[in-house]
Amino acid sequence: MITARKRHTGLMVTVGALALTALGGTSYAATNDTGTHPGTQTRTPVQTPTQTPTPQAGAQEASEARIAFTPGQAVHGVGINDPVKVTVGNGTLTKVTMTAVATGTELPGTLSAGGTSWTPDGPLKQATRYQIAAEAEDAKGRPATENATISTVSPANDFLGHLSPESGSTVGVGMPVSFAFGKAVTDKAAVESKIQVSTSSGEQVVGHWLNSGRLDFRPEHYWKPGSTVTVRMSQDGVQKTVTFKIGRSQISTVDARTKQMTVARDGKTIKTIPISSGSAEHPTYNGRLVISEKFRHVHMNAATVGLKEKDGKPSYDIKAVPHAMRLTDSGTFIHGNYWGADSVFGKVNTSHGCVGLKDVRNAGDGTQPAAWFFDNSLVGDVVIVKNSADKAKVAADNGLSDWNMSWSQWVAGGTSN
């Protein structure tokens, strides 16, 4: 599948050297943003059909409908009463859903009489991350799909820099505590001294500067299932606390040689799924990757990664890739594939780096392997890739891939050591 997404991080300094309010930093999968974290690996994986897709398989003529979002497609620090709106040009909106990521609660909204705009019916909740999925069609009935992710103002999560995960959330055992700052931090020791991270299981937690604008915390091994992580921050006499819970342990291993993925829950294999990973020319990264985002549908367009035909059209443009979960900032996803032949899965590696699982169009069949994996995965779950032809292991700062750094290296990166 093609993916064009690299995480875009933009933050605004508000007061002092440490008080930062995040404006960007949540990646999304439906636009042509090309920003990356400094030092992020830049390969852009593309899951390519094994044969030229027919219009029914997703390569239909491009829609003229153009979907837009207010305040944008990847924005932090949105006020609970700020305007949120979806509009469309050269077409009509057919469906819009806005969902609170942590709870799955859908916000009711109103579509305008002419189908050109949609707004939520009431104010948003504070410190909440929302995903918006919009569908439209043009005058010829050709569909268009776009997505956006916004996060509302969070006094704790945006106290020093933008902190993830969200306070009160439940995440997988591989989810690091991650602070993103809007500019290079010169006095790292001063910043790190204002942060304390502890876990109810008593593990030692150490900070590491992945680059001058990102500070992550993790224990030597994955977090203990069922534990609670507490992040305490202080500045100018003011203290803030964020807590989140660690769910069950789920470690999935993708074997690029056997083309199978085994899913282990609390140490026991619960499912084996045939997959198709990166081809010999475009192998999938080896290493320990972590799910950072989940999208029931994403728009993946080859043109956004420079893959075009001689006539300038994208090599492929799949409007609604189902059950997509981000693994790296540089564009690796594990997602559903409905255009590949059944004989591909478990037999042939065909992608430009993504991991594909059998699925159906519109994510409408919950019995499909991709649907099962999506429904049974948390942000923060670990996906290990092994036996890929790629000689390079995914870099620690590419997504939430912190676990690819040895503990001795990790500890050496803390300012207090």
Side-chain angles (χ1 to χ4, degrees):
M1 182 81 271
I2 51 145
T3 175
R5 306 309 320 126
K6 302 175 186 176
R7 179 170 298 189
H8 176 72
T9 304
L11 301 96
M12 178 180 69
V13 179
T14 55
V15 181
L18 299 177
L20 301 170
T21 300
L23 295 178
T26 301
S27 59
Y28 46 100
T31 70
N32 60 359
D33 170 50
T34 56
T36 61
H37 284 315
T40 294
Q41 291 163 306
T42 57
R43 181 192 331 138
T44 2
V46 180
Q47 177 88 21
T48 314
T50 54
Q51 64 276 338
T52 302
T54 63
Q56 288 73 30
Q60 60 192 12
E61 186 179 355
S63 175
E64 294 181 359
R66 296 292 179 265
I67 299 170
F69 299 89
T70 301
Q73 285 185 284
V75 183
H76 281 306
V78 177
I80 60 173
N81 293 306
D82 286 356
V84 174
K85 192 174 186 179
V86 183
T87 58
V88 65
N90 300 323
T92 304
L93 291 169
T94 56
K95 183 179 181 181
V96 178
T97 57
M98 184 171 182
T99 306
V101 174
T103 63
T105 302
E106 185 174 326
L107 275 69
T110 299
L111 194 64
S112 67
T116 58
S117 66
W118 178 95
T119 55
D121 289 342
L124 309 183
K125 290 186 177 181
Q126 194 177 61
T128 302
R129 186 165 175 242
Y130 295 95
Q131 285 183 349
I132 308 172
E135 300 174 18
E137 60 182 28
D138 64 11
K140 295 182 179 180
R142 295 171 296 194
T145 303
E146 297 289 355
N147 303 274
T149 304
I150 64 173
S151 297
T152 54
V153 171
S154 172
N157 277 73
D158 295 324
F159 183 58
L160 295 178
H162 182 69
L163 164 63
S164 64
E166 291 181 12
S167 185
S169 60
T170 298
V171 296
V173 297
M175 185 74 191
V177 172
S178 185
F179 285 86
F181 302 97
K183 63 178 182 179
V185 175
T186 55
D187 193 345
K188 295 178 180 177
V191 173
E192 193 169 345
S193 69
K194 298 177 183 296
I195 302 167
Q196 292 182 325
V197 183
S198 61
T199 172
S200 62
S201 60
E203 298 163 280
Q204 180 190 16
V205 182
V206 175
H208 182 97
W209 290 87
L210 291 168
N211 54 56
S212 61
R214 178 178 168 189
L215 170 63
D216 284 12
F217 292 82
R218 48 157 275 212
E220 181 176 3
H221 305 293
Y222 301 133
W223 305 100
K224 298 294 184 184
S227 62
T228 298
V229 179
T230 300
V231 184
R232 293 183 175 88
M233 300 161 283
S234 62
Q235 178 169 274
D236 299 330
V238 178
Q239 295 185 341
K240 297 288 184 179
T241 300
V242 165
T243 62
F244 62 92
K245 293 185 179 299
I246 306 300
R248 77 291 176 274
S249 169
Q250 182 164 297
I251 311 294
S252 302
T253 302
V254 173
D255 189 328
R257 183 179 300 144
T258 65
K259 304 165 190 67
Q260 302 287 324
M261 178 174 69
T262 57
V263 182
R265 178 78 58 82
D266 295 324
K268 296 181 180 180
T269 298
I270 61 172
K271 200 167 187 71
T272 300
I273 302 174
I275 58 92
S276 179
S277 66
S279 66
E281 184 180 2
H282 303 285
T284 306
Y285 285 126
N286 283 299
R288 292 189 281 179
L289 303 93
V290 173
I291 295 172
S292 60
E293 292 185 294
K294 296 176 64 179
F295 298 93
R296 193 159 295 277
H297 295 96
V298 294
H299 179 188
M300 296 184 177
N301 187 316
T304 60
V305 291
L307 296 177
K308 299 180 181 181
E309 302 299 322
K310 291 181 179 180
D311 61 4
K313 293 183 178 180
S315 298
Y316 29 85
D317 183 6
I318 302 181
K319 302 296 183 184
V321 178
H323 297 123
M325 294 181 283
R326 178 180 290 282
L327 297 177
T328 69
D329 286 345
S330 63
T332 311
F333 280 78
I334 184 166
H335 62 76
N337 178 331
Y338 62 81
W339 53 91
D342 289 353
S343 58
V344 168
F345 304 100
K347 301 294 179 57
V348 185
N349 289 327
T350 61
S351 84
H352 283 63
C354 287
V355 178
L357 287 67
K358 181 174 171 55
D359 209 341
V360 297
R361 177 189 284 272
N362 296 326
D365 183 353
T367 67
Q368 293 295 315
W372 181 92
F373 188 61
F374 185 92
D375 291 341
N376 284 275
S377 294
L378 292 173
V379 167
D381 281 350
V382 179
V383 178
I384 300 171
V385 179
K386 66 178 185 179
N387 294 326
S388 173
D390 197 337
K391 302 302 181 184
K393 185 179 292 185
V394 63
D397 69 341
N398 192 352
L400 304 177
S401 305
D402 305 48
W403 308 98
N404 291 289
M405 187 177 293
S406 70
W407 184 240
S408 60
Q409 291 175 309
W410 187 269
V411 171
T415 59
S416 59
N417 296 281

